[in-house]
């Protein structure tokens, strides 16, 4: 069975836009007081932290490789305005890294806070734990 995307509808939409043809459309989803941190690891000695406000998101989007990675839901949950999205990043259909995203959606329906951590060091599957 596929994961229930209705458990994190905002973040599910966010990653669909990120994977699509116009990732900068994400900027339409964020609030005026938006704050973020994306910790992007490619291995034990290689991590980069993209932190800040709207301009940090613009910078993050500009440096991304386009059309090479896709985000796939493993599990999700929501509690009030907060959503958690556990997934994996694939390159050419092959596992590249696991990630967890936490977002807070404000009263205006826009994303106010976003925290994402990504690492190839551990993989989550629908069937239980699995090493990378």
């Amino acid at each position: 069975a596929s994961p229930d995307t209705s458990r994190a509808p905002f973040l599910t939409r966010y990653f669909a836009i990120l994977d699509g043809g116009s990732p900068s459309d994400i900027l339409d989803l964020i609030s005026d007081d938006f704050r973020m941190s994306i910790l992007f690891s490619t291995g034990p000695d290689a991590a980069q932290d993209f932190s800040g406000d709207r301009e940090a998101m613009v910078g993050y989007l500009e440096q991304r490789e386009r059309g090479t990675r896709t985000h796939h839901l493993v599990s999700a949950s929501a509690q009030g305005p907060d959503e958690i999205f556990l997934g994996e990043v694939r390159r050419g259909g092959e596992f590249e890294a696991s990630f967890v995203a936490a977002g807070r959606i404000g009263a205006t329906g826009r994303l106010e806070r976003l925290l994402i951590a990504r690492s190839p060091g551990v993989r989550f599957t629908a069937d239980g734990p699995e090493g990378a």
Side-chain angles (χ1 to χ4, degrees):
S2 61
D4 182 0
T5 59
S6 68
R7 292 184 174 259
F10 190 97
L11 290 177
T12 298
R13 181 174 168 222
Y14 172 94
F15 288 112
I17 291 169
L18 193 63
D19 292 347
S22 187
S24 63
D25 288 352
I26 284 172
L27 298 173
D28 295 334
L29 302 179
I30 63 177
S31 69
D32 292 339
D33 68 339
F34 175 76
R35 300 292 300 170
M36 66 166 237
S37 179
I38 300 174
L39 184 59
F40 188 96
S41 171
T42 55
D45 299 319
Q48 190 169 4
D49 188 355
F50 301 88
S51 294
D53 56 12
R54 180 183 192 86
E55 290 309 309
M57 178 61 86
V58 169
Y60 172 75
L61 292 171
E62 287 174 351
Q63 64 81 44
R64 283 184 77 244
E65 292 179 52
R66 289 183 175 84
T68 59
R69 293 183 175 109
T70 55
H71 298 81
H72 301 268
L73 177 64
V74 173
S75 67
S77 65
Q79 179 73 37
D82 300 325
E83 292 185 3
I84 306 291
F85 186 112
L86 174 64
E88 69 177 39
V89 177
R90 298 179 191 158
R91 180 188 291 267
E94 297 296 318
F95 174 81
E96 184 176 79
S98 293
F99 71 95
V100 64
R104 173 160 291 165
I105 296 86
T108 63
R110 292 186 174 203
L111 190 60
E112 293 180 348
R113 300 291 181 267
L114 179 66
L115 176 64
I116 299 176
R118 172 208 193 271
S119 174
V122 68
R123 185 174 189 187
F124 293 84
T125 65
D127 299 329
E130 180 177 312

